[in-house]
Amino acid sequence: MADEMGQQEYVGHRLIEVTILPARVAYLIAEGSSDGFRAAVRAATHRWGGMTEPIIEMTADADSQGAAKLVRIADVQAVVNVDADPSRATELGNSWKLPVVPIADMYGGTPWGVWEFTSRPESLSQSLIGAGADSCFRSDPEGPLWAVAVAGIYDAPKDFAGYTPILPPQLTLLGRAQSSSTTVLQQGMAGFHENWAVYDRYALELPVVVVVAEPDSLADCLWFWNARAMRSHVRIHTPVLLFPQEAGEHWLDFANDVRSARTRAAGRPLPDVILVSRSLSDEELHRAADRAELVADDGEPGVRWSKRHPESDGPLTYRVERGFEPELFRRGWGKSEVSGFHQFVGPSRFDVVLPALASRPSGALLRLSGEPFNNLPRKDVVAWQIMHKAKAVSPLPASWHGDQLQIPVWLPWLDFPRITLSIPRPQEVVSELLNQVASSSGPSIPGTIGMTVTEQSDINALRNVLVVEVLTALKTERTEHFLKELRRLNEGRYPDWLALEDAKELAREFGGRQERKFHSATNVLTGWIASDVTPALETACAQGWAERGLGLDCDQCGLNSFIPLHSTSGTAVCPACSAPALYKRENGKAVEIVYRLNGFIDRAIDNGVLPHLLVTATLKDRDPSTYLLPGVDVVVDGAKNEVDVFGIHEGKVLAGEVKVKAAEFSKAGQIVRDVALSRRLGADIHLMAATDIIDAALQSEARELCERVGLELLVLHEPELRPGLAEQREARDRRKAAAAASTPGPRRGDSKASSTPGPEPRT
């Protein structure tokens, strides 16, 4: 590998953040299934961070927005079907875009998947649940449901020599255990490493949430489990406790158990405690509050705990909230470490520095983020390109998790701790993206021409004021002119008389026999003066798109000729008939400089490449890592299509349509076809671009279609593609208006105002 890298192009030293964390799942249980709940709790107890894995009851509204939001914010990698209807579970999994695995196949099943990359609370080298495992509580699998929800169901591995959690001699011990993190479920959070947490409302602390329930109330146990699973465990102190009904009646330490969980902030929320229950009446909750020595909060009904009062020794306040819903915290977790590596073009060896944990798990997810991945599309094929040289690291393909490259690993892997990364170049990414969606693809004629122009010049110069206008004005009419003539000669029978693609090929082959046009700065653009136009013409010359010369009119053969400046001589000679002639003069005085496009850029403009290049220049100005193909022919689903722009912009796949005139988007079905093609090409962004102004109604239609299919819409038109043009036009119009105002009107008696026509364009 060292010899191979020694011959590769060196890119530079790069930093990568490495995060290690457990794979996590959500559980589906049948409606009303207490056995399913116990089975889900047992599975979660034996998983690293299992206390944060939600359990969802398969009710009629299990596909509600609330359930979808729970799964999304929980950020799980799969759905485990415990005892729900398999077909219904598959439907839900598909709607949540998650794989579904039966609980019996959770480990070692076929197929196996990312959900298996976690660890039991004990590991091979040192217990993740800590040295105090002998004082850590588990519940009786056949005991009351509330105790199962609080402590978890744990089975020690065979021949395990370490400490294992114990059954509490009295269930009342599970009251204080919830606040002291001495249940096996809570100890399984070791190494979970929550590093950030936010929620919708602004508050540093929230009240203690106490669920009081009948001992086997599935509704209350489910509510408690998910409220605890979704809370912040480290960053924001938000205790959630579960007690049986008898706790408020017979537990001597019930008041202390509630008080021990109080928030530890400098200020106290108002109220201190929220009482919740799905199985008990308000009267029973008030009796439990009295037993816990809580005082009713006299706050306004329906007002949440937005205000606070200072810390004091006064009694804790409470409020019964029948419709209370738990906070769904958006959190980040995992232990991270930054590693550096030397990146080459091609395979690069990366020696991973793993984050330090009390015990190394046997299975986990590695997530990599950093400079090498910043501008790459988050597509599975790109993840494969990066990791295809590192097959020994993971038995499963790498994938993307947001901006992180996710790799399921067993620790240690074969070549531990080394990973070979192959960071693809933009052109390699774009090529592979096309291979994934098209049966064949290749640059279109405009695309080939556009890539050549891009390689040979600075296309950002096209965005200078009036550069596009002067280039277009100097274009020799070829293809479109030829097609118009075909239509006219065939009296409207075209394109039935000749296929459109064949006609275009014919036009490209034989439509370019006309001589290239040339103009002076004075008459190249109608309505503009030479001082406006000359900078644009000189910019075109600087890029090699145009050349300066002199015009020559031959009296003998009658031809007008362009003589490049480097070919001029003291005596003007007609290049056609060799007769002596005269160079054209400006207003009969000095010799007049004229401009002409070079042959290649003339053909490029005739093929409609300029708008494509304008788009490319604009997007590269926004994001220098942008890589676009300015025209691709693709065969998708058996149909041949031409896409005007395809590539990468801001780390996303972009595809779309570029028009010279925005009015072309108003053709029947045009926008529908454009958006559908971008979607079939796997784009993240659909581009809608034109060199003039795109009507708001057309933009609205495109936006609605894009939202419907999950595409981001990017609109580029004159304000973005032609910066400064509108201001230049306004300055021109003000100048004209001022000149008109200062010109005296016709005197009375004059039959008509005299006018002097401007010079006609010469070719």
Side-chain angles (χ1 to χ4, degrees), residues 466 470 520-522 524 529-541 595:
L466 295 182
V470 299
S520 68
T522 304
V524 67
I529 60 177
S531 59
D532 294 329
V533 176
T534 300
L537 289 166
E538 289 299 312
T539 297
C541 290
Y595 297 84

Side-chain angles (χ1 to χ4, degrees), residues 436-440 634-641 676-677 679-681:
Q436 293 294 307
V437 297
S439 55
S440 68
V634 295
V635 177
V636 181
D637 300 329
K640 184 177 180 181
N641 300 271
L677 179 57
R679 185 188 183 194
R680 291 200 300 272
L681 291 173

